[in-house]
Amino acid sequence: MRHCIAGLLLWGLVGLPLSASVAVAPAGAQTPPEKEAGWQSDVGGLRHFMGLRCPDQIGAFFRIKVLEGGANSLAGCIYTGSDGMTAVLRQHVQDTGRREAISFSRNYKAAGFEEVQLSGAASTGISFRTRSWTPTSLCETLWHFAGKESDFTLWLSYTLPTQQDEVGPAVTAFTQVLALQN
């Protein structure tokens, strides 16, 4: 009986097309998505071939995803902080950061979100209230920075008033990392 089952299994494998019987590729043949997007391991984080360095941790934020570039966005990383606070750091073609900020503002206004003026570090960015039907309001703020070789944007999503005090330290931590970029 055992030989019969083994024979049937062998016959089943022989009868399969070659592509179906070789379903697993060698481990070395697969490329991690980070490498396909131009990222390389760096001390304490990742470095994109365009020069953006994304540490594993910035302040109280931990890197959770790397982003590919687009037309004006060269590279970026998504970070998460306490209680769901999220940050996206992006590198852009030089002299396009202001244009990205204007586009951000126009798109959020067109979507019907309320632009808000905040105090502290958030006052230097462009802020929109994107959720106001709960006890805490979800706020999204974008800052743009001009560098020597590239421009950068930082986008934060946080709740008001509970995370208002965390915005300043977050912006400071990210701008310190940006100061080391180029």
Side-chain angles (χ1 to χ4, degrees):
M1 179 72 152
R2 204 180 321 166
H3 294 293
C4 183
I5 292 173
L8 288 173
L9 288 174
L10 180 61
W11 177 253
L13 288 176
V14 172
L16 288 175
L18 182 59
S19 63
S21 64
V22 184
V24 179
Q30 296 180 352
T31 304
E34 295 86 18
K35 289 201 183 280
E36 286 182 5
W39 291 93
Q40 297 177 340
S41 291
D42 195 28
V43 176
L46 294 174
R47 179 178 42 84
H48 194 266
F49 73 93
M50 295 301 295
L52 179 64
R53 286 181 172 359
C54 288
D56 294 333
Q57 183 177 359
I58 298 177
F61 290 81
F62 294 91
R63 182 175 37 79
I64 59 170
K65 185 173 181 169
V66 296
L67 302 169
E68 291 186 52
N72 291 326
S73 299
L74 302 175
C77 285
I78 300 175
Y79 288 83
T80 188
S82 63
D83 298 326
M85 195 171 185
T86 304
V88 178
L89 178 65
R90 279 209 171 267
Q91 178 185 23
H92 300 277
V93 173
Q94 190 172 15
D95 298 326
T96 63
R98 181 166 162 66
R99 191 174 343 140
E100 291 294 320
I102 291 169
S103 177
F104 169 83
S105 180
R106 285 182 183 152
N107 291 339
Y108 274 57
K109 285 177 184 175
F113 295 123
E114 172 193 1
E115 187 169 6
V116 292
Q117 298 300 316
L118 301 173
S119 60
S123 68
T124 60
I126 303 166
S127 299
F128 287 88
R129 185 180 329 270
T130 57
R131 182 186 68 207
S132 57
W133 56 88
T134 60
T136 57
S137 295
L138 185 64
C139 189
E140 298 180 28
T141 303
L142 182 92
W143 293 265
H144 66 89
F145 309 95
K148 293 177 189 172
E149 300 170 10
S150 301
D151 283 6
F152 302 93
T153 56
L154 173 63
W155 172 89
L156 283 180
S157 173
Y158 51 94
T159 58
L160 292 176
T162 56
Q163 294 177 320
Q164 185 170 357
D165 293 339
E166 297 174 46
V167 174
V171 173
T172 298
F174 279 95
T175 55
Q176 288 172 347
V177 167
L178 288 177
L180 301 173
Q181 292 295 321
N182 52 13

